[in-house]
Amino acid sequence: MSDGYGQGGQSGHDGQGRQQAYGQGYGQQNPYAQQNPYAQPVPPQQNPYAQPAPQHPAPQYSAPQYPAPHPHPHPAPPAGAAGFPGPAPRRSRAGVLLQFLLQWFYAPLWILALAALFALLLFAGGGGPAGPDSDGWLKVNRSFLPPRRLRAELTGRPEHWEAYLAPILDRRIRRAEAEDGWEPAELGPDGVRTARVRLALRFYRGLGAAGVVRLAERYGWAGFAGGTDEEHVTVSRRIAPPPVQGPVPQDRPAAPGTPWGPRPSRFVPALPFLLVLQLVYAPVYGLATIWVHRSDPEYWSNWGARWMVGPRAIWPEVTGSAAAWDRHLRRILERDATKELAKLPGEYHRGPDGGFLRRVRVDLATYRGAGAHHVLRVAAETGWQLDPSYPPRPEVSVRLCRPDRTPAA
């Protein structure tokens, strides 16, 4: 079988193949090597035949073109990071050691005191004294000193600070790239979202904000001057919308069982029990797993959309009628669209020309028996279309958008 380099069979791999010919071409069969005066004596008048070698300088002209783009991005990050503050003054070693030793005593007491305070507020009602505006006093972890940071604080060496900060920055950047910027009000008409990471001074004291920016540039991020001050540094990245798109309303209706087609109705006798159970199970499950981090920013809404049932959706599911599903879909879509169109333009992220997108989400419970493609067909009648800013997920919801523009003043 040919591998694309030989003529066929094994000509690209055996001793008589073309790769062998290239290997020999520079040693024995190269016409320029035969005319080389060092390889074979020739009369002086034949020297012009050796001149084709200087015409082989194509790589000499192209070589500077490849490294040329690389020097520009590399000097650029330090230039951008130079505008950010450098390392902060070191803390007292005695104070750092004292904090590390005492934290093993006051941290558990602090947590117990917070638990007692919450219990008191829960049973005392709303007549107690008001707490501070900031919630910083609730986060005991801010004053906790891990061993890696202890080492960096004591030595003050940049490599130790980088070893402490690098895994934290990596974790926060990955989380921000998956979660940040998905709110409808934060997305502009171009669908580009902005992910941001904000770090307190305790994470990068020995590196400075400039050092944080240099580390973030390894991930393609940049410093955000608007969110950086003496006590914090902010890095950000603009992320283009996903290229995946769904069908258009004019396409043929999606077949049942396909991602965009109708889905089978659930077990009818179980629907009333699901309706009652979700009123109890959903809050309990939410409270029991509130501390679990979810990589999906829409985990809770998608989780509910997969199995919950609305009172108005029971009849379409029971009958399985396409007309019932169509009426239910139109009623819910009209309700949500009216609510969305009533919002003020100032609540949206607008483009340079004043344009923005109204956005509506339709859950699976609204179109289960009609199909996600039917949502697009009904929405197109009033100017709504599939929102290109979000990756299509017809198994849980359909995101719709409608162009709008701020009226001229």
Side-chain angles (χ1 to χ4, degrees):
M1 180 180 64
S2 173
D3 60 356
Y5 294 96
Q7 298 294 330
Q10 299 178 354
S11 60
H13 299 282
D14 57 9
Q16 304 298 328
R18 181 162 299 198
Q19 292 183 355
Q20 181 88 12
Y22 282 116
Q24 295 173 355
Y26 293 98
Q28 297 177 5
Q29 298 179 3
N30 188 354
Y32 297 107
Q34 295 175 0
Q35 297 174 3
N36 189 346
Y38 295 97
Q40 187 176 3
V42 294
Q45 60 271 18
Q46 293 184 357
N47 285 340
Y49 293 97
Q51 294 303 322
Q55 295 181 3
H56 197 4
Q60 298 179 1
Y61 289 98
S62 59
Q65 298 177 3
Y66 291 100
H70 297 286
H72 294 286
H74 289 295
F84 293 86
R90 293 178 56 184
R91 297 175 56 193
S92 168
R93 292 187 176 181
V96 171
L97 289 174
L98 184 62
Q99 176 185 352
F100 182 76
L101 294 176
L102 292 180
Q103 69 184 6
W104 305 104
F105 299 95
Y106 70 75
L109 296 177
W110 195 337
I111 295 175
L112 290 177
L114 289 178
L117 178 60
F118 284 136
L120 179 63
L121 295 177
L122 182 63
F123 293 101
D133 296 335
S134 174
D135 62 345
W137 61 281
L138 296 173
K139 301 179 179 180
V140 63
N141 60 305
R142 293 184 177 182
S143 61
F144 194 81
L145 198 63
R148 282 190 177 182
R149 182 176 151 203
L150 172 66
R151 180 187 181 188
E153 293 272 14
L154 293 178
T155 62
R157 301 179 63 177
E159 57 268 24
H160 292 164
W161 277 103
E162 182 173 342
Y164 164 66
L165 175 62
I168 298 176
L169 185 63
D170 178 83
R171 182 172 62 252
R172 295 198 178 187
I173 282 180
R174 295 179 184 275
R175 180 181 301 180
E177 288 181 348
E179 298 180 358
D180 287 3
W182 287 117
E183 292 296 328
E186 299 175 358
L187 284 169
D190 56 357
V192 176
R193 61 189 182 95
T194 301
R196 291 188 177 94
V197 170
R198 182 176 172 89
L199 294 171
L201 181 63
R202 66 180 183 273
F203 291 105
Y204 62 90
R205 180 182 299 274
L207 288 177
V212 178
V213 173
R214 292 191 183 96
L215 288 178
E217 285 168 348
R218 301 176 182 177
Y219 299 87
W221 286 51
F224 181 66
T228 301
D229 51 35
E230 296 181 357
E231 298 294 331
H232 299 86
V233 61
T234 302
V235 292
S236 63
R237 180 187 178 188
R238 290 172 57 82
I239 303 176
V244 182
Q245 299 294 334
V248 297
Q250 294 76 18
D251 291 343
R252 297 180 58 184
T258 60
W260 291 89
R263 295 178 176 271
S265 298
R266 290 171 288 186
F267 186 55
V268 173
L271 295 179
F273 294 98
L274 287 177
L275 182 62
V276 177
L277 182 63
Q278 67 190 16
L279 301 178
V280 179
Y281 175 71
V284 172
Y285 178 75
L287 292 175
T289 60
I290 191 173
W291 304 108
V292 179
H293 172 68
R294 311 293 183 182
S295 58
D296 186 0
E298 296 184 331
Y299 172 82
W300 290 108
S301 57
N302 292 339
W303 172 76
R306 286 187 176 95
W307 71 275
M308 285 188 176
V309 57
R312 295 183 177 182
I314 291 183
W315 178 249
E317 286 214 52
V318 170
T319 61
S321 170
W325 277 111
D326 181 75
R327 287 193 300 269
H328 177 63
L329 170 61
R330 292 178 182 274
R331 181 172 57 247
I332 299 300
L333 185 58
E334 181 182 2
R335 181 200 64 186
D336 295 346
T338 303
K339 186 185 302 183
E340 178 70 13
L341 294 174
K343 294 182 180 179
L344 298 177
E347 302 180 21
Y348 297 88
H349 180 68
R350 288 165 288 179
D353 59 348
F356 61 95
L357 293 179
R358 306 269 187 182
R359 289 184 162 95
V360 166
R361 169 180 166 138
V362 184
D363 287 335
L364 176 64
T366 304
Y367 61 85
R368 180 184 298 272
H373 189 199
H374 189 66
V375 178
L376 303 183
R377 298 166 68 91
V378 174
E381 298 174 1
T382 53
W384 293 84
Q385 60 188 4
L386 185 65
D387 195 337
S389 304
Y390 295 88
R393 305 183 67 176
E395 70 279 4
V396 289
S397 65
V398 175
R399 291 276 191 173
L400 301 173
C401 68
R402 176 174 170 176
D404 204 340
R405 186 174 298 275
T406 303

